[in-house]
Amino acid sequence: MEIEAVEGLRKPLENMRMAKNENDDKQPTQRLIHPDGPSNRRLELKKTKGQRNNVYIGNLPSEIAEEQILQLFAAFEPVRVRKIVSGLKCYAFVNVGVAKNVALAISHLNNTIYNGRRLVVRDLCESRGCESSTEATELPPLEKVDKDFSMGSKTLSVSRLVKDDSQTCYAVPLEMRSLTLVQMLSSCFKDVGWLTESAMVYGDVGLMVMDSFPHMPYFWAMNLTPETYVKMCQLFNALSVITQEQPFLKSEEVQRGQRCMAEFPGEGGEWNRCWIVDVVASRVILFYVDSGSTACVPAGSVKSLDKDEFWAVPPLVQPFVLLQGVMGNRKMDGTILKGSVVGFHEAEPHILRISITTEE
């Protein structure tokens, strides 16, 4: 199925006039920690609350240097920058001296393209709250989740709906967090570049839903492009040829962090590529890398699949989140969704936000 790609690129950064940075102070941002206790820390934060001189910039390439970030902000008189790499994510906090430069930096840099990435630039105080700006992190904290069987049989998911006076929030499922994906996929593929490439998808898409989280906006789907179709045929043709030849793993060979193959749960399940999340007695918890699903299966039902040739094709699916609404309770596997990718999740930039237009 061919889906016409539509790119909504804004004015490139190269066309923007950048003045030379006169103050190239590379001293990292200091945390406000007082020996007299947290009360003094709050007092100092209140004094600096009105300054609003810190800017957050996200979705940066991990190889970018702090000097290059300063060059991006050269027209806005940057004082210092602190770059942070967390898993596949790279972001930075830039001090631009005065409040007026914060607004200018946001208006000129937000949503612009840098090295193929759409930058996220925002006021750190407004987006995180001034009292937490000096220790801001990109990942939301994990909530304490009570056992809830209505969430289905998800093994790794710890997501939960959180409501406050103004909005409804959902914790990112553990399977979709970059730190977890880096561990799993680097073990399987040695190269996790597909995650950064997936963030470049923009515009109209057609998605085949592979797995979803009941009552949550998150789901795994295959982007229906000619390239994906070719990769899918290549992968499953290779698996079908060697399915009978591959030996079952012996009990002593079943180990956490091992790549393997197993039948997909359900009737008439095909053999799929998997990664062993954990071993519990005589059972293993598997992550099916080409569907995003997790399942607990008998250890004796897992076959060996450790040759690199079977892992040459990158994962067929990637994570998405609905712009509005949640996935229902009904089975969504195989459902075709048409819509438009309008950006990415602000906490996990490899999770794309999609506005649905039709559902088949």
Side-chain angles (χ1 to χ4, degrees), residues 59 64 75 99 109 138 141 154 156 210 218 237 318 330 346:
N59 202 33
I64 192 171
L109 292 177
E138 241 189 359
K154 283 288 178 182
L156 299 181
M210 299 301 292
Y218 300 98
N237 284 339
Q318 64 186 86
R330 63 188 178 88
E346 68 174 14

Side-chain angles (χ1 to χ4, degrees), residues 23-301:
N23 191 358
D24 192 14
D25 182 4
K26 302 173 186 176
Q27 180 181 354
T29 302
Q30 299 296 315
R31 295 174 61 187
L32 296 175
I33 300 178
H34 294 268
D36 296 332
S39 58
N40 281 351
R41 177 179 181 271
R42 284 195 295 268
L43 286 174
E44 180 156 342
L45 284 170
K46 286 181 180 178
K47 292 178 184 178
T48 60
K49 187 174 181 179
Q51 294 180 3
R52 296 182 179 273
N53 55 1
N54 290 307
V55 178
Y56 165 90
I57 178 168
N59 202 33
L60 291 166
S62 58
E63 66 274 10
I64 192 171
E66 290 189 345
E67 290 78 7
Q68 292 174 294
I69 301 175
L70 286 172
Q71 289 173 9
L72 277 175
F73 284 84
F76 315 109
E77 302 175 358
V79 177
R80 55 182 171 268
V81 61
R82 180 162 64 101
K83 170 190 165 185
I84 298 174
V85 177
S86 176
L88 288 178
K89 296 181 301 177
C90 178
Y91 54 100
F93 305 117
V94 183
N95 186 310
V96 291
V98 293
K100 67 176 183 178
N101 286 341
V102 171
L104 288 172
I106 294 171
S107 64
H108 284 82
L109 292 177
N110 188 42
N111 276 329
T112 54
I113 305 299
Y114 179 81
N115 283 1
R117 289 169 169 264
R118 191 173 297 276
L119 300 178
V120 177
V121 183
R122 58 175 179 255
D123 186 326
L124 191 59
C125 286
E126 290 182 358
S127 62
R128 297 292 182 188
C130 283
E131 292 198 5
S132 62
S133 65
T134 56
E135 300 180 36
T137 58
E138 241 189 359
L139 283 175
L142 284 174
E143 295 86 4
K144 182 179 179 181
V145 183
D146 296 326
K147 202 167 193 179
D148 184 359
F149 293 102
S150 67
M151 294 298 292
S153 59
K154 283 288 178 182
T155 307
L156 299 181
S157 175
V158 293
S159 299
R160 183 182 179 185
L161 169 64
V162 181
K163 292 183 178 179
D164 58 27
D165 295 336
S166 60
Q167 61 181 348
T168 300
C169 303
Y170 299 87
V172 178
L174 185 58
E175 298 95 319
M176 291 186 174
R177 297 189 180 204
S178 62
L179 291 178
T180 302
L181 283 174
V182 166
Q183 181 184 6
M184 292 191 291
L185 299 178
S186 60
S187 175
C188 292
F189 298 94
K190 315 302 180 187
D191 177 17
V192 291
W194 76 278
L195 270 177
T196 55
E197 292 175 5
S198 68
M200 300 179 189
V201 178
Y202 202 81
D204 295 337
V205 294
L207 306 177
M208 178 181 289
V209 178
M210 299 301 292
D211 199 21
S212 58
F213 297 82
H215 308 297
M216 299 288 290
Y218 300 98
F219 63 100
W220 291 86
M222 184 185 301
N223 188 5
L224 297 176
T225 64
E227 293 78 14
T228 304
Y229 179 75
V230 170
K231 291 176 182 178
M232 181 176 64
C233 292
Q234 178 185 345
L235 171 63
F236 286 105
N237 284 339
L239 292 180
S240 64
V241 171
I242 54 87
T243 296
Q244 298 301 322
E245 302 173 0
Q246 293 300 106
F248 284 97
L249 290 175
K250 299 176 182 179
S251 56
E252 62 271 16
E253 295 176 329
V254 179
Q255 299 177 2
R256 179 188 300 179
Q258 186 174 2
R259 52 188 185 178
C260 59
M261 66 185 301
E263 286 186 290
F264 192 76
E267 297 181 5
E270 298 292 332
W271 287 86
N272 280 238
R273 299 182 297 180
C274 303
W275 189 78
I276 298 178
V277 178
D278 208 350
V279 181
V280 183
S282 61
R283 302 183 70 83
V284 294
I285 299 172
L286 297 178
F287 177 73
Y288 291 80
V289 299
D290 294 304
S291 68
S293 301
T294 56
C296 186
V297 304
S301 64

Side-chain angles (χ1 to χ4, degrees), residues 284-347:
V284 294
I285 299 172
L286 297 178
F287 177 73
Y288 291 80
V289 299
D290 294 304
S291 68
S293 301
T294 56
C296 186
V297 304
S301 64
V302 178
K303 287 189 173 186
S304 173
L305 194 71
D306 199 39
K307 292 183 179 179
D308 289 341
E309 60 187 279
F310 300 125
W311 299 89
V313 176
L316 301 177
V317 297
Q318 64 186 86
F320 292 87
V321 60
L322 297 175
L323 185 63
Q324 295 180 333
V326 298
M327 307 300 283
N329 221 356
R330 63 188 178 88
K331 186 177 177 63
M332 296 291 293
D333 301 2
T335 301
I336 304 296
L337 300 178
K338 293 181 180 179
S340 180
V341 173
V342 295
F344 45 81
H345 196 285
E346 68 174 14

